[in-house]
Amino acid sequence: MKIIVINGPNLNMLGKREKSIYGNNTLKDLEDYILNKFKKVNDEIIIEFFQSNHEGCIIDKIHESMDRYDGIVLNPGAFTHYSYAIHDAIKSIDINVVEVHISNIHKREEFRQKSVTASACMGQISGFGFDSYVLGITALINANNVFK
């Protein structure tokens, strides 16, 4: 099974921005954390990463993913709250997508509490830090019955 983790705007600034919300760890730390969590099943699960601050690049990556990956874990960042274009991109492909967030968006500012992209996804996980990604990947593995 091949999974891509797509991170949206400002996630390249992990470890530098709003440390009280996102902590001190970097995007590279996040990627290493995910790979470490799944290293025991590494022969059966391939995980790749992509980050962009540009909506169109994220949409292009979602489109490209249909023929290359079995699932997507997506943190759209601020695009979560207003990108109908990313919503439509998710709807245009025929693979499972799980939306994830490091913080609990439902406990944040009012504008962050609504996701326009989540309804296009198989589910949303938020508020568990880096483990939100691990839970998202686990959901994709279970949905694809990799170990059954």
Side-chain angles (χ1 to χ4, degrees):
M1 180 173 189
K2 204 169 173 188
I3 295 171
I4 185 161
V5 175
I6 300 175
N7 280 299
N10 298 312
L11 286 152
N12 60 309
M13 298 302 289
L14 285 175
K16 296 177 184 166
R17 74 179 275 238
E18 297 179 277
K19 292 180 182 184
S20 63
I21 295 171
Y22 300 107
N24 295 314
N25 292 317
T26 66
L27 182 61
K28 175 77 168 99
D29 293 333
L30 169 61
E31 293 171 356
D32 291 344
Y33 181 80
I34 292 167
L35 291 175
N36 187 51
K37 286 288 188 180
F38 290 96
K39 71 181 175 187
K40 291 180 183 170
V41 292
N42 204 359
D43 294 339
E44 298 177 46
I45 307 294
I46 297 167
I47 302 170
E48 296 180 4
F49 301 95
F50 176 79
Q51 188 277 328
S52 179
N53 294 316
H54 306 280
E55 184 179 32
C57 293
I58 293 168
I59 291 166
D60 288 344
K61 185 56 75 173
I62 290 169
H63 290 168
E64 293 166 12
S65 296
M66 191 166 72
D67 298 324
R68 298 182 60 203
Y69 300 97
D70 302 300
I72 299 172
V73 170
L74 172 65
N75 184 339
F79 292 135
T80 301
H81 316 295
Y82 66 88
S83 181
Y84 295 102
I86 290 176
H87 172 276
D88 291 348
I90 296 165
K91 296 285 281 189
S92 74
I93 62 172
D94 191 24
I95 60 174
N96 287 323
V97 179
V98 176
E99 180 178 303
V100 300
H101 299 281
I102 294 169
S103 67
N104 182 347
I105 64 171
H106 305 287
K107 290 179 111 179
R108 307 241 351 242
E109 302 94 333
E110 186 177 340
F111 78 91
R112 293 188 195 276
Q113 295 176 15
K114 178 173 172 50
S115 171
V116 301
T117 52
S119 64
C121 299
M122 69 180 278
Q124 179 194 72
I125 301 167
S126 71
F128 295 98
F130 285 3
D131 283 328
S132 291
Y133 291 82
V134 172
L135 294 166
I137 293 168
T138 301
L140 290 172
I141 291 168
N142 292 340
N144 284 289
N145 298 312
V146 170
F147 298 114
K148 293 186 179 181

